Amino acid sequence: MSTDRRPRRGLARRLLATRLADHLTAPHGVDRFLEQLDPLLTVHQVRGVVSEVVHETGAASTVVLAPNDAWTGFRPGQHVQFGVEVDGKRRVRVFSVSSSTARDDGRFSVTVKAHDDGYVSQYLHREMAPGTVVYLSEAEGEFVLPEEVPGGLLLLSGGSGITPVMSMLLSLRDAGHTRPVTFLHYARSADDEIFRGALDEVVATCPWATVRRVYTREPGAGDLQGRFTTAHLDLLGIDPATTPTWACGPAGLIETVRKTYAEAGAEQMLAVEYFKVPKVDLDAADATGTLSLDSAGLDVPNDGRTILEQAEEAGLTPEFGCRMGICHKCTVKKKHGAVRNVLSGEVRADTDEDIRICINKPVGDVCVAL
């Protein structure tokens, strides 16, 4: 079943996108009035309508979207903010684009695995239907291939981290790419593998692509066994020092990959993206002092977790989107104190600086505008 409510381009839409139109509709702006007629008529804010929902596995679904004319496209590997209204409340999360850039109908897709504690992912997998209007952002993110795609590259993924690298692989195929690409994916089992059919098609039609799947909970399924190790690269004839690599997956996988490339002196060959923030190391040296939630008038003992987690534990409901440092929706003002970025380990202690509370934890006493 498919639905296409994408507004048609025309002179009227171009005129409505001008500064004059915004001036005449100030202070709200032209989009505020247009969306009262149809949410897809906005000229500045990106909207999309669900045209199809495909269940990839028992826990993962692909949503195909027809965006309005405010959408300017994406580069493979990028993500979008994805907002839905449920029970009168808009909830926004961040999902990677999973489709090829070569679709000639202007549509694109996101593929999401439903998590037990994921309100939006559960709704998307179980209830979302064609015709649903989705509130989007422009595509964002630096986890992308260069304009000149090198040969001999490695695309490595684990679990639902396959989505951005699958977009890369499909886009390369549809652009007529012929240079060698190795696609190495880790899943718990064949039944858990997202895009299983699409990867089978790539194997059958793309002689330049070497596709290898590793099922970590199905021993004996191929010559690559268990979780990622340097031995897997050796078996595939991949030298980190000479192989441009893009890797996306859970924290454990990405940390192991980063360590492997660092030990080979090949950090510059690796681009990574997490789909979940690493579990915070509750370092006793960091977990001291007090986290002051200034706007709420609360002081809580710093337990070493991220500021977002500690604020939620204290009963606050800070705005957030991705919970992994990508979308910046959780950015707040840190008034004073030091924080550690749980992704990079960097410590910052500037006064009155903006921080993303989903990936920063206090180091001693910290005061934030929450």
Side-chain angles (χ1 to χ4, degrees), residues 6-18:
R6 185 175 182 180
R8 291 173 293 179
R9 291 179 172 85
L11 176 61
R13 287 183 60 80
R14 292 196 296 272
L15 290 174
L16 289 169
T18 62

Side-chain angles (χ1 to χ4, degrees), residues 32 41 52 92 134-135 145 178 193 228 253 302 324 328:
R32 176 71 66 86
L41 285 176
E52 186 179 7
V92 180
V134 178
Y135 300 84
L145 295 174
T178 58
E193 182 185 355
F228 172 85
L253 170 64
N302 172 26
M324 53 188 175
H328 295 258

Side-chain angles (χ1 to χ4, degrees), residues 156-235:
L156 192 158
S157 59
S160 56
I162 192 174
T163 52
V165 292
M166 192 66 185
S167 177
M168 293 177 182
L169 181 65
L170 296 178
S171 297
L172 289 173
R173 178 198 65 186
D174 295 342
H177 184 83
T178 58
R179 303 175 75 183
V181 174
T182 299
F183 192 94
L184 176 58
H185 178 62
Y186 293 81
R188 292 180 178 179
S189 67
D191 289 340
D192 286 327
E193 182 185 355
I194 305 173
F195 304 126
R196 187 178 181 184
L199 285 174
D200 288 342
E201 183 180 343
V202 169
V203 171
T205 60
C206 301
W208 45 268
T210 299
V211 176
R212 301 300 297 270
R213 288 93 155 218
V214 184
Y215 303 130
T216 58
R217 297 190 181 180
E218 289 184 356
D223 56 343
L224 301 181
Q225 299 291 312
R227 300 181 185 277
F228 172 85
T229 68
T230 305
H232 289 184
L233 298 183
D234 294 338
L235 285 168

